[in-house]
Amino acid sequence: MPEPPPSRRAALLTLGCARNEVDSEELAGRLADGGWALTDGTDADVIVVNTCGFVESAKKDSVDALLEAAETGAKVVAVGCMAQRYGSELAESLPEAAAVLGFDHYPELGERLDDVVAGRTVASHTPADRRTLLPITPVQRPAVADVSVPGHGWGPRVLRRRLDDSPVAALKIASGCDRRCSFCAIPSFRGAFVSRPPDEIVAEAAWLAGQGVRELFLVSENSTSYGKDLGREHGGPDALERLLPRLAGLDGIERVRVSYLQPAETRPGLLRAIAGTDGVADYFDMSFQHASATVLRRMRRFGGTESFLALVEQIRSLAPDAGIRSNVIVGFPGETEDDVSELAHFLTEAQLDVVGVFGYSDEDGTEAEKLSGKHDPEVVAERVARVSDLVEQLTAQRAEDRVGDEVLVLVERVDDDECVGRAAHQGPEVDGECLLTGEVELMVGDLVRGKVIGSEGVDLIVAPVEAVSTAGASHMSELASESMSRDDRERRHRAREGSS
């Protein structure tokens, strides 16, 4: 009697950012394509943990997740940023993991899991600076075919499987980064900047629309660099500006949102494209990091309060109701009390919608790790608390100022007690949400016009006015489309008047 085939059930656990979520869906697609059954983890033979290696707290969460997965009795495999960054070092310190695999293992992940289930030893990933794997000159990078970059190189085939039924999906447009911020280790393990070809991105976006996705959340390490490595035909400084209308014009897609813009690289043409393209959210995710020019130079970044406020003013002249969010780091080596005051002044004047406040901590292998002027952890924590308190007040006031406005809300969650979605100025998960009131029956994926009647912190309370587009519709009704177009024309007219 022949032996029964070995069980091939795998679960995926994802930590970290939206880029990791996309990578997990690629891994899910590869596993399913290779004959593996995906499960929620209760009966998995292998649990694949997609780790985060960005900051110390994220690394701790990843280790905890690996240990917790091992307690289920399943084999545990570590992938993702922490596995890529530490590889064999992580494997040695964490024997609970049956394997620690890097990005180069992704194309053969199913085979490596076969090895794990069969008890065969899988050599751990050996870390190396991935910036050295591609040419320094960006336009020479597409010719290098032997470097595995997650989410790249699929061609017209979409090698992805959705792991949830959310109407919002992250869509990777590029990977890696060429910047050398002194506090950031990401380029060392994510590698040099590589854009995905536009046709490949559009093909995946169309596939996502066919899966019920209504909003595309464009992700990368640096979206403002998109296209610089693609050559004249597909790339150039306006490559993202040309890509946005193609994505927004896809059947079923109601909104396209761009994430992670570098202020020093953000051109007026890109601002105009985001503010003026129908179907693209008036949403600007600006990576300011600080406002003191002195601190920013030590971070190896550019700009300061004056130029950043000018950029904010430029955005609001084009889209007065735009959402602008950012992250800032406090307690950076050498930061003075005057620098903190400068940051507070900028935040007060800028009136951003959301600000993430992070305390500085050393990251292995970064330039900042060796800088003088380090602060005691107590000083860093006090500055984080102080700036966070200010941000909480400012962002709550910004939300309150929207009371009386009309917003378009994409419904994302409906249960017995509440109906919740997000407006154009609110990014996924971290930027607040809209609580829809009343007795109107709505479904996940509906696009609803509503009036803001209240606020709670950064969240808005919205009274629905009309359903502009329903989840089952491939496009809006003619009346709603005309109404939206009219509103868009009026908004852009007001914006032009404001900038003249």
Side-chain angles (χ1 to χ4, degrees):
M1 176 182 253
E3 286 190 26
S7 178
R8 304 175 88 214
R9 296 185 303 267
L12 278 159
L13 176 62
T14 307
L15 294 92
C17 64
R19 297 183 293 275
N20 257 18
E21 293 173 8
V22 176
D23 290 349
S24 284
E25 293 198 346
E26 175 191 351
L27 295 178
R30 290 187 180 279
L31 289 174
D33 199 46
W36 280 79
L38 298 175
T39 176
D40 62 4
T42 56
D43 61 347
D45 301 292
V46 183
I47 299 177
V48 180
V49 181
N50 191 352
T51 61
C52 178
F54 180 43
V55 293
E56 198 61 38
S57 59
K59 288 183 279 190
K60 182 182 182 302
D61 289 343
S62 293
V63 170
D64 290 344
L66 288 162
L67 293 173
E68 185 175 341
E71 291 175 358
T72 66
K75 302 282 189 180
V76 177
V77 172
V79 299
C81 291
M82 189 176 180
Q84 176 69 32
R85 186 175 180 183
Y86 295 104
S88 52
E89 179 184 342
L90 176 62
E92 185 176 345
S93 63
L94 198 71
E96 291 84 354
V100 176
L101 307 180
F103 299 150
D104 292 335
H105 290 104
Y106 283 16
E108 301 89 28
L109 181 64
E111 297 173 30
R112 299 293 75 77
L113 296 194
D114 285 336
D115 291 335
V116 167
V117 169
R120 294 187 289 269
T121 300
V122 179
S124 298
H125 164 67
T126 302
D129 189 335
R130 283 182 68 85
R131 291 171 293 190
T132 64
L133 302 181
L134 292 169
I136 294 177
T137 304
V139 293
Q140 294 177 347
R141 292 171 189 167
V144 181
D146 58 348
V147 175
S148 178
V149 181
H152 290 242
W154 300 350
R157 182 189 182 204
V158 176
L159 196 58
R160 178 174 180 175
R161 177 167 174 167
R162 297 218 66 201
L163 295 174
D164 61 40
D165 57 359
S166 169
V168 182
L171 176 59
K172 186 179 291 189
I173 63 171
S175 293
C177 186
D178 287 340
R179 302 185 70 86
R180 294 295 181 267
C181 301
S182 63
F183 57 85
C184 184
I186 290 176
S188 66
F189 57 86
R190 276 286 182 180
F193 184 87
V194 183
S195 302
R196 294 182 68 192
D199 289 347
E200 187 176 295
I201 296 171
V202 173
E204 184 176 346
W207 178 84
L208 287 168
Q211 300 289 310
V213 169
R214 310 275 276 164
E215 177 178 314
L216 301 172
F217 183 43
L218 308 188
V219 299
S220 71
E221 276 75 26
N222 178 6
S223 296
T224 37
S225 283
Y226 178 75
K228 71 177 186 179
D229 53 329
L230 294 179
R232 291 184 179 180
E233 182 179 358
H234 299 296
D238 63 344
L240 184 54
E241 299 160 36
R242 289 184 277 123
L243 177 63
L244 290 176
R246 295 183 63 186
L247 296 173
L250 291 170
D251 284 345
I253 297 301
E254 298 291 356
R255 192 153 66 196
V256 177
R257 185 182 304 276
V258 184
S259 73
Y260 215 82
L261 305 174
Q262 287 286 348
E265 297 180 27
T266 302
R267 302 167 303 280
L270 179 57
L271 299 182
R272 290 193 295 268
I274 294 174
T277 303
D278 289 345
V280 176
D282 291 337
Y283 176 81
F284 298 83
D285 179 12
M286 309 301 305
S287 176
F288 290 124
Q289 302 298 353
H290 210 281
S292 163
T294 302
V295 174
L296 286 164
R297 298 307 173 271
R298 287 173 70 84
M299 290 179 170
R300 294 211 177 277
R301 297 177 67 87
F302 303 96
T305 297
E306 186 175 344
S307 63
F308 290 169
L309 288 177
L311 181 56
V312 169
E313 183 179 358
Q314 187 177 11
I315 290 170
R316 291 194 171 130
S317 71
L318 294 167
D321 298 327
I324 308 176
R325 66 109 55 221
S326 191
N327 294 320
V328 297
I329 298 173
V330 295
F332 194 78
E335 180 191 63
T336 66
E337 281 294 335
D338 286 344
D339 294 326
V340 179
S341 297
E342 180 76 6
L343 175 60
H345 168 68
F346 164 71
L347 294 172
T348 303
E349 293 296 315
Q351 297 290 301
L352 305 179
D353 290 87
V354 177
V355 182
V357 182
F358 297 89
Y360 171 81
S361 62
D362 285 337
E363 281 300 311
D364 299 336
T366 61
E367 180 183 349
E369 187 182 23
K370 301 178 178 63
L371 289 177
S372 60
K374 299 284 179 62
H375 296 289
D376 291 337
E378 294 78 10
V379 173
V380 175
E382 187 277 327
R383 291 181 181 181
V384 168
R386 193 192 327 166
V387 176
S388 296
D389 286 345
L390 173 63
V391 162
E392 185 175 352
Q393 297 173 42
L394 294 172
T395 54
Q397 183 60 55
R398 176 71 175 159
E400 187 177 334
D401 291 343
R402 293 185 183 273
V403 174
D405 290 354
E406 278 198 348
V407 290
L408 281 176
V409 179
L410 179 66
V411 178
E412 295 186 22
R413 188 172 74 253
V414 178
D415 56 35
D416 294 337
D417 299 319
E418 61 182 12
C419 178
V420 175
R422 287 178 302 105
H425 71 279
Q426 297 170 318
E429 297 184 359
V430 293
D431 289 357
E433 55 191 18
C434 294
L435 175 63
L436 291 154
T437 65
E439 302 299 324
V440 182
E441 290 190 9
L442 297 170
M443 296 174 56
V444 170
D446 287 350
L447 191 66
V448 181
R449 186 188 307 282
K451 184 174 182 179
V452 181
I453 60 173
S455 65
E456 296 178 356
V458 296
D459 297 332
L460 302 181
I461 303 171
V462 177
V465 175
E466 64 171 333
V468 173
S469 176
T470 58
S474 60
H475 52 77
M476 305 174 202
S477 69
E478 182 178 350
L479 178 61
S481 181
E482 289 176 357
S483 174
M484 282 192 69
S485 297
R486 182 173 62 252
D487 287 351
D488 288 340
R489 286 196 297 271
E490 290 174 355
R491 174 174 54 79
R492 287 195 290 271
H493 179 67
R494 291 195 306 268
R496 284 193 294 270
E497 285 182 336
S499 61
S500 60

